[in-house]
Amino acid sequence: MHRALTTALLASLSMPVIAQNSDTLDMGRERSEAFLAGDLEPIWEDMTPQMQDGLGSLDDFSAFRQQVVTDLGEETAVLDEQFTAEGDFGVYTRVGEWSLLDTPIVMQWSFDSGGMIAGFFVQPQPQAAPSAYLDYQTGTDLRLPFEGEWFVFWGGHDIADNYHAADPAQRFAYDFVVREDGRSYSGDPQRLENYHCWGREILAPADGQVIAMVNDLADQPIGETDAENPAGNHVILALADNEFAFLAHMQQDTITVQRGQEVSAGDVLGLCGNSGNTSEPHLHFHLQTTPDLSEGEGLPAQFQNIEIDGEPVARGEPVRGQTVAPATP
């Protein structure tokens, strides 16, 4: 994965995208060419303070570029480039061939509404993990693990829709947020309580037994993460045979269940928070074959009696960009 090459600071997900497609393409091309040429000072000056804090200093940024060159060589061809709107950012993504690696390399820049650089990374193009469960049908009768409308920020079988797909255990995982007027927060994006999903009840998706839980980890300030405890405060439920549900990033001291407890579908497990390795308050949910995150195989999750973008669906898997809710009676 070349983890040392990855610099991604999309933490605050703040400010609405105003940049247009062509503008963002031009900005991304200019920054990419400057980075490749080693002209780093103008790039540094155009970074948000949060981005600069994350990188450390201009010298650290220069050392990062040197590591890229040492590990990957030079870009020899541009295979693809595109603009996308990612939450509240305009994102330029460039896929290229490089001289020292056979795998295509992704360079990505994220711009806020003022054109400032709010995120950047260079890394080998992720590939979806192979899975024997692509056509798997969930044995458990699943409901959505919340009430009301939530937005699928990441979800689906393809890597483009779901960055989790690169991880075998999280192959079909979801990240859910709540959006109002196209944004996941209102007011100051540094305040956790301003995120619309903050404090929402997280519900048991099915009948099951609590086999693990963590409840005492602090919620992370926006811009900070807890990589040592990636799931943060979480609950793991044993459902049907070889189906285990993971619900992660809940608020500190809000989990209401204990290890060994039997729960019913719809029971409150805790409140949505920002604990663990998370960029903003949201719910992470996935199914896998074991209760061990390091050894399990991810399973598709078909939810029953839901609405997707306002349309009733008896049983289905929502994907990135859709709004989902339990079906109204």
Side-chain angles (χ1 to χ4, degrees):
M1 286 287 293
H2 287 259
R3 294 179 70 90
L5 295 181
T6 301
T7 299
L9 291 177
L10 302 178
S12 60
L13 294 179
S14 60
M15 292 183 278
V17 173
I18 295 177
Q20 299 299 311
N21 187 318
S22 60
D23 293 338
T24 305
L25 281 172
D26 289 343
M27 289 191 295
R29 288 179 187 136
E30 291 172 3
R31 303 308 190 280
S32 297
E33 296 303 325
F35 179 79
L36 293 170
D39 186 13
L40 303 183
E41 188 168 352
I43 298 175
W44 179 262
E45 292 175 353
D46 285 345
M47 289 181 176
T48 64
Q50 294 91 339
M51 185 72 186
Q52 291 181 346
D53 288 344
L55 284 167
S57 68
L58 179 57
D59 286 342
D60 293 328
F61 186 37
S62 180
F64 168 78
R65 179 192 174 276
Q66 185 56 52
Q67 183 184 353
V68 170
V69 172
T70 299
D71 289 356
L72 304 182
E74 299 179 351
E75 186 184 62
T76 58
V78 177
L79 303 177
D80 185 43
E81 60 178 351
Q82 60 180 300
F83 161 88
T84 55
E86 301 284 351
D88 297 328
F89 292 95
V91 178
Y92 169 85
T93 303
R94 176 188 186 108
V95 181
E97 292 181 345
W98 289 59
S99 59
L100 296 184
L101 205 66
D102 292 335
T103 302
I105 303 301
V106 178
M107 182 182 300
Q108 188 173 97
W109 303 87
S110 298
F111 300 96
D112 67 19
S113 60
M116 298 293 286
I117 300 167
F120 170 61
F121 67 75
V122 182
Q123 67 180 31
Q125 188 174 47
Q127 301 294 319
S131 174
Y133 297 97
L134 293 173
D135 298 321
Y136 181 82
Q137 295 296 302
T138 310
T140 306
D141 291 338
L142 287 180
R143 57 152 294 153
L144 288 168
F146 43 70
E147 296 289 355
E149 291 187 345
W150 289 60
F151 180 80
V152 183
F153 194 87
W154 291 112
H157 287 212
D158 298 329
I159 198 79
D161 291 326
N162 192 0
Y163 86 100
H164 300 99
D167 185 315
Q170 301 181 55
R171 181 65 175 78
F172 308 99
Y174 285 99
D175 283 344
F176 296 104
V177 299
V178 174
R179 282 190 168 181
E180 296 179 8
D181 299 323
R183 302 173 76 177
S184 60
Y185 66 91
S186 60
D188 183 357
Q190 296 300 311
R191 298 177 64 88
L192 295 175
E193 61 269 27
N194 286 348
Y195 286 81
H196 302 309
C197 66
W198 174 260
R200 296 281 187 102
E201 291 182 339
I202 305 303
L203 311 179
D207 298 348
Q209 183 181 53
V210 178
I211 59 170
M213 52 83 69
V214 173
N215 193 33
D216 61 355
L217 297 173
D219 290 281
Q220 297 297 306
I222 297 296
E224 298 182 19
T225 61
D226 182 2
E228 293 184 1
N229 300 285
N233 300 310
H234 64 276
V235 174
I236 302 174
L237 299 175
L239 305 179
D241 290 344
N242 299 319
E243 288 184 356
F244 297 86
F246 288 66
L247 300 99
H249 306 312
M250 285 188 263
Q251 273 190 40
Q252 184 178 24
D253 297 331
T254 67
I255 293 178
T256 59
V257 295
Q258 300 295 325
R259 185 189 302 267
Q261 181 176 336
E262 299 287 340
V263 298
S264 298
D267 285 351
V268 176
L269 301 178
L271 303 182
C272 186
N274 198 49
S275 59
N277 193 24
T278 169
S279 58
E280 71 170 59
H282 73 280
L283 170 65
H284 172 99
F285 173 86
H286 78 269
L287 296 181
Q288 66 176 63
T289 56
T290 76
D292 186 340
L293 190 58
S294 65
E295 296 183 0
E297 293 285 331
L299 298 171
Q302 291 101 40
F303 299 102
Q304 299 190 29
N305 301 317
I306 62 176
E307 293 181 359
I308 299 179
D309 292 337
E311 296 297 322
V313 175
R315 178 183 172 94
E317 295 179 52
V319 298
R320 186 183 187 200
Q322 294 180 326
T323 298
V324 296
T328 54

